[in-house]
Amino acid sequence: MTRRARAGASPVELGRAVLGLWHLSRSFRGRDQAVLHGVLGVRQLAQAALVARAGTGNAHTLSALVDAAHGATMVPLALDPQRRRFALQQVWIAAALTVAEVAVVGRGGRR
């Protein structure tokens, strides 16, 4: 476990929590795709809390896998013209979060 992990949430988890709050605000304001924003807001906040609490490389790796899976599930949704913009935004967000989580873990060599 790194010192940063023991010290608390990484910048990725703080950013993820802000993203979760943004999704929830869009959901509460009844924006386009309100239900999807609500579900994603809850998921992002829960994921941020769980990874920050665990603070391990394995937690960040699992978080990256969740983000990658989310991005992959948005690709078929992009075929629907009414959801295309939302889905493509989610693909980019998921890709950025996946890369950020992997960067937190680094090479992860054995000690």
Side-chain angles (χ1 to χ4, degrees), residues 35-88:
V35 171
L36 292 174
H37 278 293
V39 169
L40 285 171
V42 170
R43 194 231 356 153
Q44 293 289 8
L45 288 171
Q47 190 172 341
L50 290 171
V51 174
R53 172 106 168 105
T56 65
N58 286 341
H60 287 286
T61 300
L62 287 173
S63 185
L65 290 172
V66 169
D67 291 326
H70 170 65
T73 63
M74 289 293 111
V75 172
L77 197 61
L79 299 175
D80 179 357
Q82 291 181 320
R83 294 186 173 139
R84 181 169 293 135
R85 183 172 179 224
F86 173 83
L88 292 175

